[in-house]
Amino acid sequence: MSVKPESRSKATGQVDPRRRELANAVRALSMDAVQKANSGHPGAPMGMADIAEVLWNDYLKHNPANPAWADRDRFVLSNGHGSMLLYSLLHLTGYALPLEELKRFRQMGSMTPGHPEYGYTPGVETTTGPLGQGLANAVGMAIAERALAAEFNKPGHEIVNHHTYVFMGDGCLMEGISHEACSLAGHLGLGKLIGFYDDNGISIDGEVHGWFTDDTPKRFEAYGWHVVPRVDGHDAQAVKAAIEAARKVTDKPSLICCQTVIGFGSPNKEGKEESHGAALGEKEVAATRERLGWKYGPFEIPDAIYQGWSAKVRGDKAEADWRKRFDAYRAAHPELAAEFLRRMQGDLPKDFGAHADAYIAETNAKAASIASRNASQNTLNALGPKLPELMGGSADLAGSNLTLWAGCRGVSAENPGGNYIYYGVREFGMSAIMNGIALHKGFVPYGATFLMFSEYARNALRMAALMKQRVVFVYTHDSIGLGEDGPTHQPIEQLATLRMIPNMSVWRPSDAVESAVAWKEALYRVDGPSCLVFSRQKLTHQARSAETLKQITRGGYILAEAQGGAPEALIIATGSEVGIAMEAYKKLTEAGRRVRLVSMPNTGLFDAQDEAYRESVLPKAVTRRVAVEAGITSFWRKYVGLQGAVVGIDRFGESAPAEALFEHFGFTAARVTETVLSLLK
């Protein structure tokens, strides 16, 4: 339970002068950078500096010269608004983050953006800022570490053995995702996950006891965590003792509840919301320097302080020791060593592409008409045995999402080496945990729910796209075609809004063949996530030539060409509506109309093609166009223009069998045929 700020000491704890001076370097850099930018959050870095000093100097296993070392500890700043804490730590310990970049905090093109962003700054393990998600990422990292250890460590050879440490604030714990992720972490017994709760009693609106009075220690104990309560976050010895206690508990994640004073050292803003999200002001910065006994100017760090913080020597030694162990491992288990390196580099097996292509060709030849969710499961059964890095899961819908395949082994506290996570009803938590698994490396995570419930997970999807992570989000029950569950479960606008997320690859396959291609492309994609959107209802197989088969990867292609000359009209369709559009195409062709049918399973990929290809599929001269999709119509206007039409749905659905709904809302061959003919008139 958070302690009211007025009940806290302004200078608590037994003070070790040397440690306090090292921590004050973090405070000084943090308040200087925020002041120079006139923007940022100095309070949390100043309050957590003593905790960070103990963790980073006494426990964190890392090498500033190689931020990507496989067996490093992972450190996550879930309360990412306190980014200057992390930037200060990275700079002081010796990462390639020069002082000039701290001076450019929050400026265009700097390595020090307002919140930590993966890929911008060496040593930043994940993008944080949306509160609670860093905590969920850390859970994913801990799952990945334990699963890799179970798979690759052998008697006498331990090559995977590291901790995941995460800092979090009140905001992280107020966000609902903290419940989802921490509940699962406790259930799985993630003993190498250690969290530090910055219990400073302050958020942007003021003292949190006005709206957040949870008994946090009891809450986490109920999750199955080991909890160290009421630790003085400004007493280095108390923090050290708490970390020691946490590291000894190996069958549960640990939460260390650190009571701190936000803006520690500021004479007039310490312990107040004024230090949370704004620069202290020049006078207050000067007064804070004096109170802390920090005798150096802005951004001035003496050599002795740098030497006290530097992790270069011990980091090089830690990695060198690991490399010796790995060389011994490679001598004893050469195939496993090669597999470990492949997995950590993110490469797929060399023969995987040929295997996947053979399966796609076989699926095309079989010509089976099945629901695309079934086609997805068939693809997993075919490709899964070739991909030991697959880490699957579903948000309590495995029997509906069909994400289980023959080689799945459930992950549990007793079986940490599984490859399938039963996430329970935790869509948001699942998605952010998958991001953490991907960030850790060694696995390609996929997880599933109904398309409608992508809404619960939306911000984690955005974060996956922002961080360019290879994560596969599987969504089934893709339209009103799911039927009787009704409008609460029938997605209308979700496809369009998923496609609007930059760097998100969204596939809506029309049959088993496109489903298999979608899986292959998602698994090979290394610069961002994919959404694979599958149907509940059966879809008709569409015949394709070998050449047409290759064009599926371009996102949109000619499925059926106009007969008797150049096309006078175009039909564009996706998913289950491709079958309906094909029926209309046949009727129109029989009536002597020259119509081209385009299947567009991935609009983003199609838009990324060169202009010549796009023109070859959707020639500008053909202005009579009809798009067909069981979703909102506005998205398709960019393809059909003002002279075209969209057969779609701009209202919520109804509860009824799928066939009745498609008839009621006009998703029929007759309506598509009618619409094309009306344009041709």
Side-chain angles (χ1 to χ4, degrees), residues 84-140:
M84 269 311 304
L85 172 65
L86 182 52
Y87 299 148
S88 299
L89 293 167
L90 294 170
H91 169 72
L92 290 168
T93 54
Y95 285 77
L97 184 63
L99 190 62
E100 287 304 310
E101 291 297 327
L102 273 62
K103 294 178 181 178
R104 298 180 62 227
F105 178 54
R106 289 187 165 224
Q107 304 307 303
M108 181 73 72
S110 77
M111 296 169 66
T112 51
H115 292 83
E117 293 193 36
Y118 180 80
Y120 281 64
T121 318
V124 170
E125 300 282 5
T126 180
T127 299
T128 55
L131 294 175
Q133 283 194 68
L135 174 54
N137 294 164
V139 172

CSV table of all heavy atoms in Angstrom, one decimal, residues 84-140:
chain,number,residue,atom,x,y,z
A,84,MET,N,15.4,9.5,-18.4
A,84,MET,CA,16.7,10.0,-18.1
A,84,MET,C,17.5,9.2,-17.1
A,84,MET,O,18.7,9.2,-17.0
A,84,MET,CB,16.7,11.5,-17.6
A,84,MET,CG,16.8,12.5,-18.8
A,84,MET,SD,18.2,12.2,-19.9
A,84,MET,CE,19.6,12.2,-18.8
A,85,LEU,N,16.7,8.4,-16.3
A,85,LEU,CA,17.4,7.4,-15.4
A,85,LEU,C,18.1,6.4,-16.2
A,85,LEU,O,19.3,6.2,-15.9
A,85,LEU,CB,16.3,6.7,-14.5
A,85,LEU,CG,16.8,5.6,-13.7
A,85,LEU,CD1,17.8,6.1,-12.6
A,85,LEU,CD2,15.6,4.8,-13.0
A,86,LEU,N,17.5,5.9,-17.2
A,86,LEU,CA,18.1,4.8,-18.0
A,86,LEU,C,19.2,5.4,-18.9
A,86,LEU,O,20.3,4.9,-19.0
A,86,LEU,CB,17.1,4.2,-18.9
A,86,LEU,CG,17.6,3.1,-19.8
A,86,LEU,CD1,18.3,2.0,-19.1
A,86,LEU,CD2,16.4,2.4,-20.6
A,87,TYR,N,19.0,6.6,-19.5
A,87,TYR,CA,20.1,7.2,-20.3
A,87,TYR,C,21.3,7.5,-19.4
A,87,TYR,O,22.4,7.4,-19.9
A,87,TYR,CB,19.6,8.5,-21.0
A,87,TYR,CG,18.4,8.3,-21.9
A,87,TYR,CD1,17.4,9.2,-22.1
A,87,TYR,CD2,18.3,7.1,-22.6
A,87,TYR,CE1,16.4,9.0,-23.0
A,87,TYR,CE2,17.2,6.9,-23.5
A,87,TYR,CZ,16.3,7.9,-23.7
A,87,TYR,OH,15.2,7.7,-24.5
A,88,SER,N,21.1,8.0,-18.2
A,88,SER,CA,22.2,8.3,-17.3
A,88,SER,C,23.0,7.1,-17.0
A,88,SER,O,24.2,7.0,-17.0
A,88,SER,CB,21.7,9.0,-16.0
A,88,SER,OG,21.0,10.2,-16.3
A,89,LEU,N,22.3,6.0,-16.7
A,89,LEU,CA,22.9,4.7,-16.4
A,89,LEU,C,23.7,4.2,-17.5
A,89,LEU,O,24.9,3.7,-17.4
A,89,LEU,CB,21.9,3.7,-15.9
A,89,LEU,CG,21.1,4.0,-14.6
A,89,LEU,CD1,19.9,3.1,-14.5
A,89,LEU,CD2,22.1,3.8,-13.4
A,90,LEU,N,23.1,4.2,-18.7
A,90,LEU,CA,23.8,3.7,-19.9
A,90,LEU,C,25.1,4.6,-20.2
A,90,LEU,O,26.2,4.0,-20.5
A,90,LEU,CB,22.9,3.8,-21.1
A,90,LEU,CG,21.7,2.8,-21.1
A,90,LEU,CD1,20.7,3.1,-22.2
A,90,LEU,CD2,22.2,1.3,-21.1
A,91,HIS,N,25.0,5.9,-20.1
A,91,HIS,CA,26.1,6.7,-20.3
A,91,HIS,C,27.2,6.5,-19.3
A,91,HIS,O,28.4,6.3,-19.6
A,91,HIS,CB,25.7,8.2,-20.3
A,91,HIS,CG,26.8,9.2,-20.3
A,91,HIS,ND1,27.7,9.4,-21.3
A,91,HIS,CD2,27.3,9.9,-19.2
A,91,HIS,CE1,28.6,10.3,-21.0
A,91,HIS,NE2,28.4,10.6,-19.8
A,92,LEU,N,26.8,6.5,-18.0
A,92,LEU,CA,27.8,6.4,-16.9
A,92,LEU,C,28.5,5.0,-16.9
A,92,LEU,O,29.7,4.9,-16.6
A,92,LEU,CB,27.1,6.6,-15.6
A,92,LEU,CG,26.7,8.0,-15.3
A,92,LEU,CD1,25.8,8.1,-14.1
A,92,LEU,CD2,27.9,9.0,-15.1
A,93,THR,N,27.8,4.0,-17.3
A,93,THR,CA,28.4,2.6,-17.2
A,93,THR,C,29.3,2.3,-18.5
A,93,THR,O,30.0,1.3,-18.5
A,93,THR,CB,27.4,1.5,-17.0
A,93,THR,OG1,26.4,1.6,-18.0
A,93,THR,CG2,26.7,1.7,-15.6
A,94,GLY,N,29.2,3.1,-19.5
A,94,GLY,CA,30.1,3.0,-20.6
A,94,GLY,C,29.6,2.6,-22.0
A,94,GLY,O,30.3,2.2,-22.9
A,95,TYR,N,28.2,2.6,-22.1
A,95,TYR,CA,27.6,2.3,-23.4
A,95,TYR,C,28.0,3.5,-24.4
A,95,TYR,O,28.4,4.6,-24.0
A,95,TYR,CB,26.1,2.2,-23.3
A,95,TYR,CG,25.7,0.9,-22.7
A,95,TYR,CD1,25.8,0.7,-21.3
A,95,TYR,CD2,25.2,-0.2,-23.5
A,95,TYR,CE1,25.4,-0.5,-20.7
A,95,TYR,CE2,24.8,-1.4,-22.9
A,95,TYR,CZ,24.9,-1.5,-21.5
A,95,TYR,OH,24.6,-2.7,-21.0
A,96,ALA,N,27.8,3.2,-25.7
A,96,ALA,CA,28.1,4.2,-26.7
A,96,ALA,C,27.0,5.2,-26.8
A,96,ALA,O,26.3,5.4,-27.8
A,96,ALA,CB,28.2,3.5,-28.1
A,97,LEU,N,26.9,5.9,-25.7
A,97,LEU,CA,25.9,7.0,-25.6
A,97,LEU,C,26.6,8.2,-25.0
A,97,LEU,O,26.7,8.4,-23.8
A,97,LEU,CB,24.7,6.6,-24.6
A,97,LEU,CG,23.6,7.6,-24.5
A,97,LEU,CD1,22.9,7.8,-25.8
A,97,LEU,CD2,22.6,7.1,-23.4
A,98,PRO,N,27.2,9.0,-25.9
A,98,PRO,CA,28.0,10.1,-25.4
A,98,PRO,C,27.2,11.2,-24.7
A,98,PRO,O,26.0,11.3,-24.8
A,98,PRO,CB,28.6,10.7,-26.7
A,98,PRO,CG,27.7,10.2,-27.8
A,98,PRO,CD,27.1,8.9,-27.3
A,99,LEU,N,28.0,12.0,-23.9
A,99,LEU,CA,27.3,13.1,-23.1
A,99,LEU,C,26.6,14.0,-24.0
A,99,LEU,O,25.5,14.6,-23.6
A,99,LEU,CB,28.4,13.8,-22.3
A,99,LEU,CG,27.9,14.8,-21.2
A,99,LEU,CD1,27.1,14.1,-20.2
A,99,LEU,CD2,29.1,15.5,-20.6
A,100,GLU,N,27.1,14.3,-25.2
A,100,GLU,CA,26.4,15.2,-26.1
A,100,GLU,C,25.0,14.8,-26.4
A,100,GLU,O,24.1,15.6,-26.6
A,100,GLU,CB,27.2,15.3,-27.4
A,100,GLU,CG,28.5,16.1,-27.3
A,100,GLU,CD,28.2,17.5,-26.7
A,100,GLU,OE1,27.3,18.2,-27.2
A,100,GLU,OE2,28.9,17.9,-25.7
A,101,GLU,N,24.7,13.4,-26.4
A,101,GLU,CA,23.4,12.9,-26.6
A,101,GLU,C,22.5,13.2,-25.5
A,101,GLU,O,21.3,13.4,-25.6
A,101,GLU,CB,23.4,11.5,-27.0
A,101,GLU,CG,24.0,11.2,-28.3
A,101,GLU,CD,23.3,11.8,-29.5
A,101,GLU,OE1,22.0,11.9,-29.4
A,101,GLU,OE2,23.9,12.2,-30.5
A,102,LEU,N,23.0,13.2,-24.2
A,102,LEU,CA,22.2,13.5,-23.1
A,102,LEU,C,21.8,15.0,-23.1
A,102,LEU,O,20.7,15.4,-22.7
A,102,LEU,CB,22.9,13.2,-21.8
A,102,LEU,CG,22.8,11.8,-21.2
A,102,LEU,CD1,23.3,10.7,-22.2
A,102,LEU,CD2,23.4,11.6,-19.9
A,103,LYS,N,22.7,15.8,-23.7
A,103,LYS,CA,22.4,17.2,-23.8
A,103,LYS,C,21.4,17.5,-24.9
A,103,LYS,O,20.8,18.5,-24.9
A,103,LYS,CB,23.7,18.0,-24.2
A,103,LYS,CG,24.8,18.0,-23.1
A,103,LYS,CD,26.0,18.7,-23.5
A,103,LYS,CE,27.1,18.7,-22.4
A,103,LYS,NZ,28.3,19.4,-22.9
A,104,ARG,N,21.2,16.5,-25.7
A,104,ARG,CA,20.2,16.6,-26.8
A,104,ARG,C,18.9,15.9,-26.5
A,104,ARG,O,18.1,15.5,-27.3
A,104,ARG,CB,20.8,16.1,-28.1
A,104,ARG,CG,22.0,16.9,-28.6
A,104,ARG,CD,22.5,16.3,-29.9
A,104,ARG,NE,21.5,16.4,-31.0
A,104,ARG,CZ,21.1,15.4,-31.8
A,104,ARG,NH1,21.7,14.2,-31.7
A,104,ARG,NH2,20.2,15.6,-32.7
A,105,PHE,N,18.7,15.6,-25.2
A,105,PHE,CA,17.5,14.9,-24.7
A,105,PHE,C,16.2,15.5,-25.3
A,105,PHE,O,16.0,16.7,-25.3
A,105,PHE,CB,17.5,15.0,-23.2
A,105,PHE,CG,16.3,14.4,-22.5
A,105,PHE,CD1,16.0,13.0,-22.7
A,105,PHE,CD2,15.5,15.1,-21.6
A,105,PHE,CE1,14.9,12.4,-22.1
A,105,PHE,CE2,14.4,14.5,-21.0
A,105,PHE,CZ,14.1,13.2,-21.2
A,106,ARG,N,15.4,14.6,-25.9
A,106,ARG,CA,14.1,15.0,-26.5
A,106,ARG,C,14.2,15.9,-27.7
A,106,ARG,O,13.2,16.5,-28.1
A,106,ARG,CB,13.2,15.6,-25.4
A,106,ARG,CG,12.7,14.7,-24.3
A,106,ARG,CD,11.7,15.3,-23.4
A,106,ARG,NE,11.0,14.2,-22.7
A,106,ARG,CZ,9.7,14.2,-22.4
A,106,ARG,NH1,8.9,15.2,-22.9
A,106,ARG,NH2,9.1,13.2,-21.7
A,107,GLN,N,15.4,15.9,-28.4
A,107,GLN,CA,15.5,16.7,-29.5
A,107,GLN,C,15.5,15.8,-30.8
A,107,GLN,O,15.8,14.6,-30.8
A,107,GLN,CB,16.8,17.5,-29.5
A,107,GLN,CG,16.9,18.4,-28.2
A,107,GLN,CD,15.7,19.3,-28.0
A,107,GLN,OE1,15.4,20.1,-28.8
A,107,GLN,NE2,15.1,19.1,-26.8
A,108,MET,N,15.1,16.4,-31.9
A,108,MET,CA,15.0,15.7,-33.2
A,108,MET,C,16.3,15.0,-33.5
A,108,MET,O,17.4,15.5,-33.5
A,108,MET,CB,14.7,16.7,-34.3
A,108,MET,CG,14.5,16.1,-35.7
A,108,MET,SD,13.0,15.2,-35.8
A,108,MET,CE,11.8,16.6,-35.9
A,109,GLY,N,16.1,13.7,-33.8
A,109,GLY,CA,17.3,12.9,-34.3
A,109,GLY,C,18.2,12.4,-33.2
A,109,GLY,O,19.3,11.8,-33.5
A,110,SER,N,17.9,12.7,-31.9
A,110,SER,CA,18.9,12.3,-30.9
A,110,SER,C,18.7,10.9,-30.5
A,110,SER,O,17.8,10.2,-30.9
A,110,SER,CB,18.7,13.2,-29.6
A,110,SER,OG,17.5,12.7,-28.9
A,111,MET,N,19.7,10.4,-29.8
A,111,MET,CA,19.7,9.0,-29.3
A,111,MET,C,19.0,8.9,-27.9
A,111,MET,O,18.9,7.9,-27.3
A,111,MET,CB,21.1,8.4,-29.1
A,111,MET,CG,21.9,8.3,-30.4
A,111,MET,SD,23.6,8.0,-30.2
A,111,MET,CE,23.6,6.3,-29.4
A,112,THR,N,18.4,10.1,-27.5
A,112,THR,CA,17.7,10.1,-26.2
A,112,THR,C,16.3,10.7,-26.4
A,112,THR,O,16.0,11.8,-25.9
A,112,THR,CB,18.6,11.0,-25.3
A,112,THR,OG1,18.9,12.3,-25.9
A,112,THR,CG2,19.9,10.4,-24.9
A,113,PRO,N,15.4,9.9,-27.0
A,113,PRO,CA,14.1,10.4,-27.1
A,113,PRO,C,13.3,10.5,-25.8
A,113,PRO,O,13.9,10.0,-24.8
A,113,PRO,CB,13.4,9.3,-28.0
A,113,PRO,CG,14.3,8.1,-27.9
A,113,PRO,CD,15.7,8.6,-27.6
A,114,GLY,N,12.2,11.1,-25.8
A,114,GLY,CA,11.5,11.4,-24.6
A,114,GLY,C,11.2,10.1,-23.7
A,114,GLY,O,11.2,10.2,-22.5
A,115,HIS,N,10.9,9.0,-24.4
A,115,HIS,CA,10.7,7.8,-23.7
A,115,HIS,C,11.7,6.8,-24.4
A,115,HIS,O,12.0,6.9,-25.5
A,115,HIS,CB,9.3,7.2,-23.9
A,115,HIS,CG,8.3,8.0,-23.1
A,115,HIS,ND1,7.7,9.2,-23.6
A,115,HIS,CD2,7.7,7.9,-21.9
A,115,HIS,CE1,6.9,9.7,-22.7
A,115,HIS,NE2,6.8,8.9,-21.7
A,116,PRO,N,12.2,5.8,-23.6
A,116,PRO,CA,13.2,4.9,-24.2
A,116,PRO,C,12.6,4.2,-25.4
A,116,PRO,O,11.4,3.6,-25.3
A,116,PRO,CB,13.4,3.9,-23.1
A,116,PRO,CG,13.0,4.6,-21.8
A,116,PRO,CD,11.9,5.5,-22.2
A,117,GLU,N,13.3,4.1,-26.5
A,117,GLU,CA,12.8,3.5,-27.7
A,117,GLU,C,13.8,2.5,-28.2
A,117,GLU,O,15.0,2.8,-28.4
A,117,GLU,CB,12.5,4.6,-28.8
A,117,GLU,CG,11.3,5.5,-28.4
A,117,GLU,CD,10.9,6.3,-29.6
A,117,GLU,OE1,10.9,5.8,-30.8
A,117,GLU,OE2,10.5,7.5,-29.4
A,118,TYR,N,13.3,1.3,-28.4
A,118,TYR,CA,14.2,0.2,-28.9
A,118,TYR,C,14.7,0.5,-30.3
A,118,TYR,O,14.0,1.0,-31.2
A,118,TYR,CB,13.3,-1.1,-29.0
A,118,TYR,CG,14.1,-2.3,-29.5
A,118,TYR,CD1,14.9,-3.0,-28.6
A,118,TYR,CD2,14.0,-2.7,-30.8
A,118,TYR,CE1,15.6,-4.1,-29.1
A,118,TYR,CE2,14.6,-3.8,-31.2
A,118,TYR,CZ,15.4,-4.5,-30.4
A,118,TYR,OH,16.1,-5.6,-30.8
A,119,GLY,N,16.0,0.3,-30.4
A,119,GLY,CA,16.7,0.6,-31.7
A,119,GLY,C,17.3,2.0,-31.8
A,119,GLY,O,18.1,2.3,-32.7
A,120,TYR,N,17.0,2.9,-30.9
A,120,TYR,CA,17.5,4.2,-30.9
A,120,TYR,C,18.8,4.4,-30.1
A,120,TYR,O,19.7,5.1,-30.4
A,120,TYR,CB,16.5,5.3,-30.4
A,120,TYR,CG,15.4,5.7,-31.4
A,120,TYR,CD1,14.5,4.8,-31.8
A,120,TYR,CD2,15.3,7.0,-31.8
A,120,TYR,CE1,13.5,5.1,-32.7
A,120,TYR,CE2,14.3,7.4,-32.7
A,120,TYR,CZ,13.4,6.4,-33.1
A,120,TYR,OH,12.5,6.8,-34.0
A,121,THR,N,18.8,3.6,-28.9
A,121,THR,CA,19.8,3.8,-27.9
A,121,THR,C,20.4,2.5,-27.5
A,121,THR,O,19.7,1.6,-27.2
A,121,THR,CB,19.2,4.5,-26.7
A,121,THR,OG1,18.3,5.5,-27.1
A,121,THR,CG2,20.3,5.0,-25.7
A,122,PRO,N,21.7,2.3,-27.7
A,122,PRO,CA,22.3,1.0,-27.2
A,122,PRO,C,22.0,0.7,-25.8
A,122,PRO,O,22.2,1.6,-24.9
A,122,PRO,CB,23.8,1.2,-27.5
A,122,PRO,CG,24.0,2.7,-27.5
A,122,PRO,CD,22.8,3.3,-28.1
A,123,GLY,N,21.5,-0.5,-25.5
A,123,GLY,CA,21.2,-0.9,-24.1
A,123,GLY,C,19.8,-0.8,-23.8
A,123,GLY,O,19.4,-1.3,-22.7
A,124,VAL,N,19.0,-0.1,-24.6
A,124,VAL,CA,17.5,-0.1,-24.4
A,124,VAL,C,16.9,-1.3,-24.9
A,124,VAL,O,16.9,-1.6,-26.1
A,124,VAL,CB,16.9,1.2,-25.0
A,124,VAL,CG1,15.4,1.1,-25.0
A,124,VAL,CG2,17.4,2.5,-24.3
A,125,GLU,N,16.3,-2.1,-24.0
A,125,GLU,CA,15.8,-3.5,-24.3
A,125,GLU,C,14.4,-3.4,-25.0
A,125,GLU,O,14.0,-4.4,-25.7
A,125,GLU,CB,15.8,-4.4,-23.1
A,125,GLU,CG,17.1,-4.6,-22.4
A,125,GLU,CD,18.0,-5.5,-23.2
A,125,GLU,OE1,17.6,-6.0,-24.3
A,125,GLU,OE2,19.1,-5.9,-22.6
A,126,THR,N,13.6,-2.4,-24.7
A,126,THR,CA,12.3,-2.3,-25.2
A,126,THR,C,11.8,-0.9,-25.1
A,126,THR,O,12.3,-0.1,-24.3
A,126,THR,CB,11.3,-3.2,-24.4
A,126,THR,OG1,10.0,-3.1,-25.0
A,126,THR,CG2,11.3,-2.9,-22.9
A,127,THR,N,10.8,-0.6,-26.0
A,127,THR,CA,10.2,0.8,-26.0
A,127,THR,C,9.2,0.8,-24.8
A,127,THR,O,8.3,0.0,-24.8
A,127,THR,CB,9.5,1.1,-27.3
A,127,THR,OG1,10.5,1.1,-28.3
A,127,THR,CG2,8.9,2.4,-27.3
A,128,THR,N,9.3,1.8,-23.9
A,128,THR,CA,8.4,1.9,-22.8
A,128,THR,C,7.9,3.3,-22.8
A,128,THR,O,8.4,4.3,-23.4
A,128,THR,CB,9.0,1.5,-21.5
A,128,THR,OG1,10.2,2.3,-21.3
A,128,THR,CG2,9.4,0.1,-21.5
A,129,GLY,N,6.8,3.5,-22.1
A,129,GLY,CA,6.1,4.8,-22.0
A,129,GLY,C,4.6,4.5,-21.7
A,129,GLY,O,4.1,5.0,-20.8
A,130,PRO,N,4.0,3.8,-22.6
A,130,PRO,CA,2.6,3.3,-22.3
A,130,PRO,C,2.7,2.4,-21.1
A,130,PRO,O,3.2,1.3,-21.1
A,130,PRO,CB,2.2,2.5,-23.6
A,130,PRO,CG,3.1,3.1,-24.7
A,130,PRO,CD,4.4,3.4,-24.0
A,131,LEU,N,2.2,2.9,-20.0
A,131,LEU,CA,2.5,2.3,-18.7
A,131,LEU,C,2.0,0.9,-18.6
A,131,LEU,O,0.9,0.5,-19.0
A,131,LEU,CB,1.9,3.2,-17.5
A,131,LEU,CG,2.6,4.5,-17.4
A,131,LEU,CD1,2.0,5.4,-16.4
A,131,LEU,CD2,4.1,4.4,-17.1
A,132,GLY,N,2.8,0.0,-17.9
A,132,GLY,CA,2.4,-1.4,-17.7
A,132,GLY,C,3.0,-2.3,-18.7
A,132,GLY,O,3.2,-3.5,-18.5
A,133,GLN,N,3.2,-1.8,-20.0
A,133,GLN,CA,3.6,-2.7,-21.0
A,133,GLN,C,5.0,-3.1,-20.9
A,133,GLN,O,5.4,-4.3,-21.2
A,133,GLN,CB,3.4,-2.0,-22.4
A,133,GLN,CG,1.9,-2.1,-22.8
A,133,GLN,CD,1.7,-1.7,-24.2
A,133,GLN,OE1,2.1,-2.5,-25.1
A,133,GLN,NE2,1.1,-0.6,-24.5
A,134,GLY,N,5.9,-2.3,-20.3
A,134,GLY,CA,7.3,-2.7,-20.1
A,134,GLY,C,7.3,-3.9,-19.1
A,134,GLY,O,8.1,-4.8,-19.2
A,135,LEU,N,6.4,-3.8,-18.1
A,135,LEU,CA,6.3,-4.9,-17.1
A,135,LEU,C,5.9,-6.2,-17.8
A,135,LEU,O,6.5,-7.2,-17.6
A,135,LEU,CB,5.3,-4.5,-16.0
A,135,LEU,CG,4.9,-5.5,-15.0
A,135,LEU,CD1,6.1,-6.1,-14.3
A,135,LEU,CD2,3.9,-4.9,-14.0
A,136,ALA,N,4.9,-6.1,-18.7
A,136,ALA,CA,4.5,-7.3,-19.5
A,136,ALA,C,5.6,-7.8,-20.4
A,136,ALA,O,5.8,-9.0,-20.5
A,136,ALA,CB,3.2,-6.9,-20.3
A,137,ASN,N,6.3,-6.8,-21.0
A,137,ASN,CA,7.5,-7.2,-21.8
A,137,ASN,C,8.5,-8.0,-21.0
A,137,ASN,O,9.0,-9.0,-21.5
A,137,ASN,CB,8.2,-6.0,-22.4
A,137,ASN,CG,7.4,-5.2,-23.4
A,137,ASN,OD1,7.7,-4.1,-23.7
A,137,ASN,ND2,6.3,-5.8,-23.9
A,138,ALA,N,8.7,-7.6,-19.8
A,138,ALA,CA,9.7,-8.2,-18.9
A,138,ALA,C,9.2,-9.7,-18.6
A,138,ALA,O,10.0,-10.6,-18.5
A,138,ALA,CB,9.8,-7.4,-17.6
A,139,VAL,N,7.9,-9.8,-18.4
A,139,VAL,CA,7.4,-11.2,-18.2
A,139,VAL,C,7.7,-12.1,-19.4
A,139,VAL,O,8.1,-13.2,-19.3
A,139,VAL,CB,5.9,-11.2,-17.9
A,139,VAL,CG1,5.3,-12.6,-17.9
A,139,VAL,CG2,5.6,-10.4,-16.6
A,140,GLY,N,7.5,-11.5,-20.6
A,140,GLY,CA,7.9,-12.3,-21.8
A,140,GLY,C,9.3,-12.6,-21.9
A,140,GLY,O,9.7,-13.7,-22.3
